[in-house]
Amino acid sequence: MSLSYRQPGVILTDRRFTVPLDHAAPDGETIELYAREAVASDQAGQELPWLLYLQGGPGFGANRFVGRQAWLDRALKDYRVLLLDQRGTGSSTPATRQTLPLHGGPAEQADYLTHFRADSIVRDCEAIRAEVTGGAPWTVLGQSFGGFCVVSYLSLAPEGLDTAVVTGGLPSLHAHADDVYRAAYPRIERKATAHYARYPQDVERARRIADHLLTHDVVLPNGYQFTVEAFQSLGLMLGASDGSHRLHHLLEDAFVRTPGGLDLSDAFQEQAQSLLSYAGHPLYALVHESIYGQDARPTAWAAERVRAEFPQFDAAKSLTGDGPVLFTGETIHPWMFDTDPALRPLRRTAELLAARTDWDPLYDPARLAANDVPVAAAIYHDDMYVDTAHSLETAHAIRGLRTWVTDEFEHDGLRAGAPRVLDRLLSLARDEA
């Protein structure tokens, strides 16, 4: 039974669906999907077209808005909105260190997780569409990894789509994970360099923290082993519109004087812990590189291997001179499965996923070249998370896709620029701009 309730200006309804774990085996194991239907309070009784929202990640549930926040306000003017927790995330059947052992040991867990990529998510959407819309095609909005899912949707089931809108999420149709990270590290370096240009005082602050972590064994309150590589990974924030400012505020009060000398403050450690822990989204770490697997080549910890080609990211070497310690970005490394208590039990599972050589293609270039679904995409000029050159190449490969290339926003333009970003993209898709 669906439960409806009100928030300011919106009526929400909890929706639950049962779908096959493996859509190629519909009589096999099933999982549950959860979604929130949202409709403007003053339009609740009207027949409206549907907009499906696919969150970024992978591994994150859909936004938990309060009322008509951010882009949702613009969407509710035209649509009923379905905020889907993709399989394994949010309130859908979870995939965590606590639940994955229900499926067996690491080998069985790795097999299970092969069904948590974009192709399975698209098939989930098609499985529930008939129940939600009565069979009518819907508009889909994909942010970041959600955009990857949209491109898979256009490849696998374009008949289910009325319109497609992508923000910061046009993937390469062909690139291996190695190619993705070779393009990523120079972008990450640019973001770190820009941060230090904005906040030059942070050069010395980051060097002091890195030196402390290299010479001390630091365990955060939740048991996280705080290494210098983990500290560098806080650069993930630099891909967001306010990320440089938040990183600066984190660094400015890192140390406190104690009877034993300077030490990392409890406040700094608490904030670092909340930013580093994968307890709330372990699926992100487990399947992140597999979203780039499309053939017989293993991903094989691509971000870790490719990082070795960029020695400027070696903090210990940086400290031997007077240069800055570079932060890193959206990269997953094997050491994370040693440092993070939420990931430690899943180390072997992650290794098996990294070694797989049987990934199916996620995109169909021929079908995309013949696309007739109206599509619009925002491409951010120097997006830290998704390579701009890869996105432009894909945009040219999808027939009829209209692009908005902008340096006004970072990767989180849908959040930071809403509702203007969604309004612009809908206008492009409708050929009104």
Side-chain angles (χ1 to χ4, degrees):
M1 182 181 216
S2 298
L3 174 67
S4 295
Y5 46 97
R6 291 179 177 269
Q7 289 182 357
V10 63
I11 297 174
L12 301 172
T13 302
D14 291 339
R15 305 285 296 265
R16 297 189 183 275
F17 312 90
T18 299
V19 297
L21 170 67
D22 180 357
H23 286 275
D27 296 327
E29 181 178 354
T30 61
I31 58 175
E32 185 177 71
L33 301 178
Y34 168 80
R36 286 165 312 291
E37 173 188 334
V39 63
S41 299
D42 59 356
Q43 300 188 78
Q46 298 183 25
E47 290 292 329
L48 296 168
W50 282 87
L51 182 144
L52 167 70
Y53 176 64
L54 297 176
Q55 180 67 281
F60 291 90
N63 300 105
R64 264 55 175 174
F65 293 119
V66 176
R68 300 176 60 150
Q69 291 178 321
W71 61 265
L72 183 63
D73 181 63
R74 172 62 187 86
L76 289 174
K77 293 178 181 178
D78 296 348
Y79 299 99
R80 288 182 184 268
V81 175
L82 192 71
L83 299 158
L84 176 66
D85 284 353
Q86 298 160 23
R87 52 171 55 203
T89 75
S91 295
S92 296
T93 300
T96 70
R97 67 174 179 85
Q98 294 171 296
T99 65
L100 285 170
L102 293 169
H103 305 283
E108 292 78 16
Q109 293 172 29
D111 288 341
Y112 178 81
L113 291 171
T114 61
H115 301 294
F116 285 73
R117 301 196 308 154
D119 50 355
S120 295
I121 292 167
V122 168
R123 293 184 175 103
D124 288 343
C125 296
E126 279 298 278
I128 69 175
R129 179 171 60 86
E131 181 177 341
V132 175
T133 73
W138 49 15
T139 293
V140 62
L141 166 61
Q143 158 65 16
S144 190
F145 172 70
F148 289 31
C149 295
V150 171
V151 178
S152 285
Y153 215 143
L154 291 166
S155 298
L156 298 172
E159 65 278 5
L161 299 178
D162 175 80
T163 305
V165 177
V166 173
T167 60
L170 286 181
S172 170
L173 302 181
H174 309 287
H176 182 264
D178 288 16
D179 305 316
V180 170
Y181 292 111
R182 285 196 181 97
Y185 279 110
R187 298 197 310 278
I188 296 167
E189 183 175 4
R190 289 197 297 273
K191 296 297 185 184
T193 300
H195 171 78
Y196 286 133
R198 182 192 298 271
Y199 292 113
Q201 62 269 49
D202 285 356
V203 172
E204 183 56 31
R205 289 170 177 169
R207 285 175 59 89
R208 289 175 62 203
I209 295 168
D211 181 68
H212 184 88
L213 293 171
L214 284 167
T215 54
H216 295 76
D217 184 23
V218 179
V219 179
L220 298 177
N222 69 342
Y224 191 106
Q225 187 73 34
F226 195 20
T227 64
V228 69
E229 291 83 7
F231 169 64
Q232 289 175 275
S233 74
L234 292 170
L236 181 68
M237 288 189 284
L238 295 176
S241 57
D242 59 354
S244 178
H245 310 301
R246 291 190 294 116
L247 180 60
H248 168 69
H249 293 316
L250 175 67
L251 300 182
E252 63 184 351
D253 294 314
F255 285 97
V256 64
R257 189 172 301 280
T258 75
L262 287 178
D263 200 358
L264 295 174
S265 71
D266 286 347
F268 172 78
Q269 291 189 54
E270 182 67 25
Q271 291 181 73
Q273 171 181 288
S274 67
L275 292 165
L276 291 169
S277 173
Y278 281 94
H281 49 282
L283 193 59
Y284 177 99
L286 284 162
V287 304
H288 192 271
E289 289 197 355
S290 74
I291 69 175
Y292 304 115
Q294 296 203 79
D295 52 33
R297 292 175 292 172
T299 56
W301 300 111
E304 178 73 9
R305 289 185 294 98
V306 172
R307 176 174 168 159
E309 301 173 14
F310 297 89
Q312 62 269 40
F313 286 93
D314 187 323
K317 288 182 179 178
S318 297
L319 292 176
T320 63
D322 58 2
V325 171
L326 292 179
F327 293 98
T328 54
E330 192 181 35
T331 54
I332 297 298
H333 302 269
W335 55 259
M336 293 175 171
F337 291 83
D338 297 323
T339 57
D340 190 338
L343 298 180
R344 282 177 196 144
L346 302 172
R347 171 66 186 254
R348 181 58 183 157
T349 301
E351 290 173 344
L352 292 171
L353 282 170
R356 290 190 80 97
T357 58
D358 57 352
W359 297 116
D360 292 328
L362 294 166
Y363 314 113
D364 185 338
R367 202 163 191 183
L368 293 172
N371 171 65
D372 60 4
V373 177
V375 188
I379 300 174
Y380 303 119
H381 182 262
D382 197 26
D383 192 324
M384 191 175 86
Y385 302 140
V386 179
D387 186 69
T388 303
H390 288 169
S391 293
L392 287 170
E393 182 180 22
T394 295
H396 292 308
I398 301 176
R399 180 175 176 266
L401 186 149
R402 299 192 65 185
T403 60
W404 174 30
V405 182
T406 177
D407 62 1
E408 186 175 356
F409 303 105
E410 294 288 346
H411 184 75
D412 61 343
L414 184 63
R415 176 186 65 83
R420 186 158 57 93
V421 168
L422 179 56
D423 189 64
R424 167 77 169 167
L425 290 172
L426 289 172
S427 294
L428 285 172
R430 296 166 177 170
D431 205 22
E432 297 172 352

